[in-house]
Amino acid sequence: IGNVILDCIFIIPFQMGVAGAAWATFIAQGAACLLALFLLLRRVKSMNISGGRLFSGAALADICKVAVPSVLQQSFISVGNLFIQYMVNGFGSSAIVAGYSAAIKLNTFAITCFTTIGNGMSSFTAQNIGANKPERIKQGFRSVLIFSLATALVFFLLFFLLNQPLLSLFMNEDGSQLAMDTGVNFLRIVAPFYFIVCLKLLCDGVLRGSESMGCFMAATFTDLILRVVLAAILSNAMNDVTGIWYSWPGAWAVATVMSVIFYKSGIWAKKLISLTPEAEKEETKKLAEENKDMLSFITAALDGKVKETKISDKLKSHPVCISSSGQISLEMEKILNQNPQNEKVKSEKVLEINPNHKIFAAMQKLYGEDKEKFKDYASILYDQALLIEGMQIEDPVEFSNKICALMAE
């Protein structure tokens, strides 16, 4: 948005031309970079993380698995745009180039919105894979798809009904009718297919979030390569620049089919399957059944603080952790509650206990001997889980007193 606004300022009132567009991009992206860095550092500071190594080669390798294909995708987009621009320039008309330049800015703005939604789906997928909750990924996909389609409808209507006023924002006042007709033609051909491309980008978000990078790259590079190939073939066959415009919907259609097939195949869910072997799942289910009375008692003792207490199948060294079961995640709760003007948002929390930790055996023993003391254990474990998650506990003094009482025994 900042880039578009600065484009309008530098190009129209200041008459800076190409240099104005370059400065607009530099300033907008530089400001976005600094703001993102500031928010990231602020967010990390709020997590109360202690210890840990300054650098991790293993973590860098995991990041590169996702980052490198994404970098290649952006590189291919830039290279592909150069080829498309070369073909448009080949028609030798400055009016056609001007119309295309204006229209591609509007198109890029729309695609950036869809891409951002897809990036959100990618983060949502990764978080729920970590929490081993595939059902939330599917629910989230359906909800975000509705929102994405509604966004596509807005852009479709804007580019069909208000195309000329929007295009004039990026054209000089003396722009020719051919330039305007070129931009309008481009938008009317491309805009109806926003409903398709937003579906593709959502599926890509799930694939990228689950580290199914082979499928993600196949669909993405097919889109980019096919667009250039179709632009060359159709523009020569039709002997008209309109053939280039048709390369967008053609490439989007093929790539969307690929992305949807990859999503429907469930290849992204294999990451979930590998997290918990079948034998371990059965053992967890058996333990939950054997200790269901104790788990229910913990839930009741916490008096509405958690929706459920269950045996965890993901904890290795920690005794407990907190997860969420509703539409509001723990991360969303923390972010929303940072604004002091908002009412406090509460997620539906689930207390997960590690059955392989010594504390679990101690809890089993205490449950049969002293239920009042057991309630103190439950309260301590709940507060400990909140602290591990980087969340505030309701009564630090009470938590400290209970710890001291146990240490004094």
Side-chain angles (χ1 to χ4, degrees):
I1 294 175
N3 199 342
V4 173
I5 293 174
L6 290 174
D7 274 337
C8 295
I9 294 173
F10 289 159
I11 294 174
I12 300 174
F14 294 166
Q15 298 290 315
M16 294 176 65
V18 175
W23 276 109
T25 301
F26 175 77
I27 295 172
Q29 293 193 0
C33 176
L34 293 175
L35 182 59
L37 181 61
F38 170 76
L39 292 176
L40 176 63
L41 294 175
R42 180 182 175 186
R43 184 76 187 103
V44 170
K45 186 178 179 181
S46 70
M47 292 180 180
N48 298 319
I49 299 173
S50 60
R53 290 178 294 173
L54 181 62
F55 176 78
S56 170
L60 178 61
D62 288 338
I63 292 172
C64 287
K65 289 178 183 177
V66 178
V68 171
S70 297
V71 170
L72 291 175
Q73 176 199 17
Q74 294 301 319
S75 300
F76 265 63
I77 290 175
S78 298
V79 173
N81 288 340
L82 287 176
F83 279 108
I84 296 293
Q85 186 69 61
Y86 173 77
M87 294 179 205
V88 174
N89 293 346
F91 282 87
S93 170
S94 59
I96 290 177
V97 173
Y100 168 73
S101 298
I104 200 65
K105 287 183 180 293
L106 294 173
N107 178 69
T108 300
F109 179 69
I111 297 300
T112 300
C113 292
F114 303 141
T115 302
T116 303
I117 296 172
N119 290 341
M121 190 67 217
S122 180
S123 300
F124 182 80
T125 299
Q127 290 172 359
N128 284 283
I129 283 179
N132 205 18
K133 294 184 176 180
E135 69 284 351
R136 289 189 63 186
I137 297 175
K138 294 179 180 179
Q139 292 171 1
F141 182 88
R142 289 192 291 268
S143 299
V144 176
L145 178 59
I146 294 172
F147 174 75
S148 191
L149 290 173
T151 305
L153 178 62
V154 171
F155 281 113
F156 169 75
L157 293 175
L158 283 174
F159 292 170
F160 248 75
L161 302 178
L162 300 174
N163 43 46
Q164 294 195 24
L166 291 172
L167 287 167
S168 64
L169 295 174
F170 304 98
M171 293 183 181
N172 295 326
E173 293 182 2
D174 57 349
S176 68
Q177 186 61 42
L178 177 59
M180 181 62 70
D181 291 342
T182 300
V184 169
N185 191 29
F186 176 90
L187 292 177
R188 286 183 173 175
I189 290 173
V190 171
F193 290 86
Y194 288 161
F195 300 99
I196 292 178
V197 76
C198 71
L199 173 60
K200 176 197 179 303
L201 293 172
L202 274 188
C203 292
D204 287 349
V206 174
L207 295 173
R208 187 169 58 243
S210 62
E211 295 185 6
S212 303
M213 301 310 295
C215 297
F216 166 74
M217 292 175 67
T220 299
F221 292 163
T222 296
D223 172 21
L224 301 175
I225 295 172
L226 188 59
R227 187 185 310 167
V228 174
V229 173
L230 286 176
I233 295 173
L234 294 176
S235 61
N236 286 329
M238 300 174 66
N239 196 27
D240 188 82
V241 74
T242 305
I244 298 178
W245 309 160
Y246 281 115
S247 68
W248 264 269
W252 283 347
V254 174
T256 300
V257 170
M258 292 178 64
S259 294
V260 171
I261 289 174
F262 290 142
Y263 173 76
K264 288 291 186 180
S265 70
I267 192 170
W268 55 272
K270 289 183 179 179
K271 186 78 174 180
L272 288 158
I273 297 171
S274 64
L275 287 174
T276 308
E278 198 62 36
E280 189 175 333
K281 289 182 180 179
E282 291 299 322
E283 181 64 23
T284 300
K285 187 183 296 185
K286 181 180 177 182
L287 281 171
E289 182 62 28
E290 292 173 352
N291 295 276
K292 63 179 182 180
D293 292 338
M294 183 184 77
L295 298 174
S296 298
F297 188 85
I298 293 174
T299 302
L302 293 175
D303 192 23
K305 294 178 180 178
V306 298
K307 181 181 179 181
E308 178 189 3
T309 304
K310 71 177 187 177
I311 302 295
S312 178
D313 57 5
K314 63 186 179 185
L315 286 171
K316 301 301 180 185
S317 59
H318 292 302
V320 288
C321 73
I322 285 285
S323 59
S324 59
S325 63
Q327 295 297 319
I328 300 176
S329 66
L330 296 175
E331 288 300 317
M332 189 180 297
E333 176 184 331
K334 287 188 282 187
I335 292 171
L336 293 176
N337 288 340
Q338 286 179 350
N339 188 347
Q341 297 179 348
N342 288 344
E343 296 183 8
K344 293 301 180 182
V345 176
K346 294 288 186 181
S347 59
E348 294 182 347
K349 297 180 178 64
V350 176
L351 180 64
E352 300 191 29
I353 301 179
N354 183 358
N356 299 315
H357 198 280
K358 292 181 180 180
I359 195 66
F360 184 71
M363 293 284 285
Q364 288 177 310
K365 181 180 178 182
L366 191 61
Y367 178 67
E369 296 176 354
D370 188 344
K371 286 190 170 53
E372 287 303 313
K373 189 174 181 180
F374 182 88
K375 290 181 180 179
D376 288 339
Y377 269 61
S379 177
I380 291 171
L381 287 174
Y382 171 71
D383 286 342
Q384 183 183 10
L386 289 177
L387 291 173
I388 291 172
E389 188 61 34
M391 305 181 76
Q392 293 183 346
I393 58 178
E394 294 181 5
D395 193 339
V397 175
E398 182 185 4
F399 175 70
S400 177
N401 289 338
K402 288 178 179 178
I403 292 289
C404 290
L406 288 174
M407 293 174 66
E409 291 181 358

